[in-house]
């Protein structure tokens, strides 16, 4: 009688953003997972825990029309399933949402409001501009979209049908993924990965600074390593073509009694002095409104906790939304924040799969640009299948995203 040898796995996931935490979740839910054979550690550099970067400070749009197709097609249904299984509506603000591109004029002083940079985060690539009609119906403005001024609106065009766009609260989603993974035995270690250890072209460990032990340098043994450190991923594998783009965002609480109907708007606001601005506005279920501005090329600091916030950039965003919405102008600004998103320098991406050119057992999951919240479950599911299913992913063909194409 032949007996399959049980493989002992020590998996270290570098980076506790949405990609790392979702990967830990899917690993811990894989049919081959058991605590007796598999040890999973999420290694996170922030002193404040997970989701301190882009994954805690993003908009949270989940769209069937996002890109790239092959990972969206896995991710969207997984988001639906996760929300059903874990009560995502309550736990992380899951809901379907209206979403469209809004064009119009802003009221106010142009210099204080505007910028002529074309640094949008490019979620709306492929959606064209529309003409400028006279009345509400011809402008396409939905009846319940009352928190932008009708008289300032030139046009509104929906980006999908009612079941094509949803949202989550990214911080709550990411921390929930980790909490659910911890319930199955996953551990969080607060430390900064410094280097990958390998013997005979196979990963054997991750050397890191342990922040719970005065920054002592230690090594975690590993049979498998997932590199999901977002914009910081090249600090471990310098040949990764990942650049970092900083973006600012704010959150606004409307006045008591004011309800903001569920829409996400990609705006194109014409301002005085031929300036324009394109803030993205996200109404959230708890009546918080999140708004983000364009990307800039500020230098990536060594640690997520040291990201600098340019208060003037936040104020521009606040002024811009105030120029088209009385409800938002009268609200109280809650958070002013900034974060870096990981962008594949050569175009395309994200980069997902085993990087066996560098070392067997090394898996890359990064470069999600402006769609990492949407595409986290698909990425995580595929990585979990590759590791737990011994190098075969059942979900989809991701050869276009394979590390060998980018390294
Ligand atoms: C303004 C803005 C709005 C966005 N809106 C959306 C949206 O609506 N929908 C959508 O799908 N996407 C959106 N995104 C994109 C999304 O936020 C990112 O694609 C996603 O968060 C990337 O996740 P990540 O886990 O790869 O990176 P991160 O969230 O940056 O996480 C990486 C983690 O790795 C840690 N780390 C770094 N180096 C090390 C190390 N050496 N050792 C250990 N840990 C390390 C960091 O501290 C960090 O916690 C938006 C992004 C921005 C900036």
């Amino acid at each position: 009688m032949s007996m399959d040898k049980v493989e002992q796995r020590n998996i270290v996931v570098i980076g506790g953003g949405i990609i790392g935490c979702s990967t830990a979740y899917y690993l811990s839910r894989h049919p081959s997972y058991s605590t007796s054979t598999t040890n999973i550690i999420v290694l996170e550099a922030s002193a404040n825990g997970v989701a301190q970067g882009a994954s805690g400070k993003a908009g949270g749009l989940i769209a069937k029309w996002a890109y790239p197709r092959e990972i969206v097609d896995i991710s969207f249904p997984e988001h639906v399933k996760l929300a059903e299984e874990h009560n995502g509506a309550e736990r992380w603000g899951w809901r379907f949402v209206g979403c469209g591109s809004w064009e119009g004029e802003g009221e106010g002083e142009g210099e204080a409001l505007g910028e002529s940079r074309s640094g949008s985060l490019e979620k709306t690539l492929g959606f064209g501009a529309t003409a400028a009609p006279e009345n509400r119906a011809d402008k396409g403005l939905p009846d319940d979209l009352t928190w932008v001024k009708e008289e300032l609106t030139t046009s509104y065009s929906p980006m999908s049908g009612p079941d094509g766009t949803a949202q989550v609260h990214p911080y709550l989603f990411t921390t929930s993924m980790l909490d659910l993974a911890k319930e199955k035995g996953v551990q969080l270690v607060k430390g900064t990965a410094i280097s990958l250890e390998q013997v005979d072209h196979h990963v054997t460990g991750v050397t890191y600074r342990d922040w719970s032990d005065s920054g002592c340098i230690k090594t975690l043994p590993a049979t498998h390593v997932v590199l999901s450190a977002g914009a910081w991923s090249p600090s471990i594998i310098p040949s990764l073509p990942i650049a970092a783009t900083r973006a600012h965002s704010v959150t606004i609480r409307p006045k008591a009694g004011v309800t903001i109907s569920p829409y996400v708007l990609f705006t194109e606001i014409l301002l005085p002095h031929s300036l324009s601005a394109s803030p993205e506005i996200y109404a959230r279920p708890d009546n918080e409104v999140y708004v983000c501005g364009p990307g800039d090329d500020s230098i990536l600091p060594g640690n997520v906790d040291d990201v600098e916030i340019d208060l003037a950039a936040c104020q521009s965003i606040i002024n811009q939304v105030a120029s088209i919405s009385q409800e938002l102008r009268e609200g109280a600004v809650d958070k002013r924040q900034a974060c870096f998103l990981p962008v594949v320098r050569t175009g395309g991406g994200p980069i997902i799969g085993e990087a066996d050119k560098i070392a067997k057992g090394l898996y890359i999951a990064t470069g999600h640009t402006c769609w990492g919240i949407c595409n986290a479950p698909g990425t995580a599911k595929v990585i979990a299948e590759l590791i737990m299913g011994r190098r075969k992913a059942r979900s989809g063909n991701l050869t276009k995203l394979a590390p060998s194409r980018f390294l």
Side-chain angles (χ1 to χ4, degrees), residues 14-20 43-46 49-62 121 123 191-194 228-233 235-236 245-249 280 282 290 292-293 302-305 339-342 365-375:
I14 302 176
I18 195 165
I19 303 300
L43 181 62
E44 168 50 51
S46 170
V50 301
Q52 298 302 311
S55 303
K57 299 184 170 85
L61 205 63
I62 311 298
L121 297 177
K123 282 204 194 72
T192 299
I194 302 168
S228 50
W232 289 269
S233 299
S235 69
I236 306 298
T245 299
R246 185 178 68 163
H248 286 84
S249 55
E280 300 175 10
Y282 299 67
Y290 166 98
C292 62
N303 187 290
V304 70
D305 297 337
C339 61
F340 282 84
L341 69 157
T366 192
H368 289 75
T369 63
C370 60
W371 282 118
I373 308 302
C374 179
N375 286 331

Side-chain angles (χ1 to χ4, degrees), residues 276-298:
S276 68
S278 312
E280 300 175 10
I281 312 177
Y282 299 67
R284 285 180 168 162
D286 58 355
N287 219 27
E288 176 183 79
V289 178
Y290 166 98
V291 193
C292 62
D296 67 38
D297 52 10
S298 164

Side-chain angles (χ1 to χ4, degrees), residues 21 29 91 174-184:
C21 292
R29 295 305 194 273
R91 194 162 180 168
T174 304
T175 49
S176 295
M177 285 293 104
L178 183 70
D179 290 344
L180 290 164
K182 278 177 162 176
E183 283 173 14
K184 298 280 181 185

